[in-house]
Amino acid sequence: MFHTSEQPPYLRIADELRQRIAEHVWEPGDRLPSRAQIGQECGVGENVVRRAQELLISQGVLEGRAGSGTYVAEPRERVRVVRSSAREQPSGSPFRQDMKALRLQSDWESRTDAKVPAPAEIATRLGIAEGEPCVRTTYEFLADGKPVQLSTSWEPYAVTGGTLVVLPEGGPHAGAGVVNRMAEIGVTISHAVEQPEPRHATAEEASLLGIQKAALVTHIRRTYYSDDGRPVETADIVVPAAHCEIVYEIPINR
């Protein structure tokens, strides 16, 4: 039987579900009883059970499968994502370095669209006029085949247009990273500015990341600047809080 407490009902039910998993009443991969059954057993409505399950899904304890039900999630190692300009190496992707350190297979899928008019916010971040053409690339980063990070990158077409690096994931410098690609056309990146903030995943982000719509993510707005102070790339990076920890490395110049 479920116990009673002074907690809000959905938090109490979440604790009970978590306890049953910890006590191996339900094992990873097991399907939970229906919300009606759980609600009847503990004397609450189905909406309370739904809120409890949504909370545990956002924390990675449960997973919802469309048209099938709610299941105990398989244990998933929390991926360590390191943010540092010092990690932009000529030999390859910083993301690939992170995954290699965790002994995870890394990969990413991308799509690039050229000459996309800059939306107002992106134009402001890049210091260009709204509507000016940009190269937009969307990324889905994978660790052992599971999505762990999304990114949408914007570069002014005026910077890279007509060069061998105009396509971030195409040509002879595909996948080399912003710093290394820009160096190929004589643009030296001096620094990057990142602004992280927590928020809830959108429906599209949740679908791509395999998380609940209400799950917490960290949204990082990153902009690379050339040595003359000009923004040459800006990106929106989305990381699911339940599956990733973000660590900042701060290089110290002596």
Side-chain angles (χ1 to χ4, degrees), residues 139-157:
Y139 294 89
E140 182 178 358
F141 292 92
L142 309 172
D144 280 353
K146 295 180 179 179
V148 293
Q149 181 177 313
L150 304 175
S151 179
T152 302
S153 167
W154 298 79
E155 297 176 356
Y157 189 76

Side-chain angles (χ1 to χ4, degrees), residues 131-216:
E132 281 197 33
C134 289
V135 177
R136 179 185 64 195
T137 305
T138 56
Y139 294 89
E140 182 178 358
F141 292 92
L142 309 172
D144 280 353
K146 295 180 179 179
V148 293
Q149 181 177 313
L150 304 175
S151 179
T152 302
S153 167
W154 298 79
E155 297 176 356
Y157 189 76
V159 174
T160 61
T163 74
L164 292 176
V165 301
V166 65
L167 302 177
E169 298 298 323
H173 305 290
V178 177
V179 173
N180 300 316
R181 287 176 45 252
M182 291 296 171
E184 293 292 332
I185 58 173
V187 176
T188 301
I189 302 296
S190 65
H191 68 286
V193 174
E194 293 195 346
Q195 178 185 351
E197 65 178 10
R199 64 168 172 79
H200 295 289
T202 66
E204 182 181 7
E205 291 165 348
S207 177
L208 289 171
L209 291 168
I211 58 177
Q212 186 72 16
K213 181 179 177 181
L216 285 176

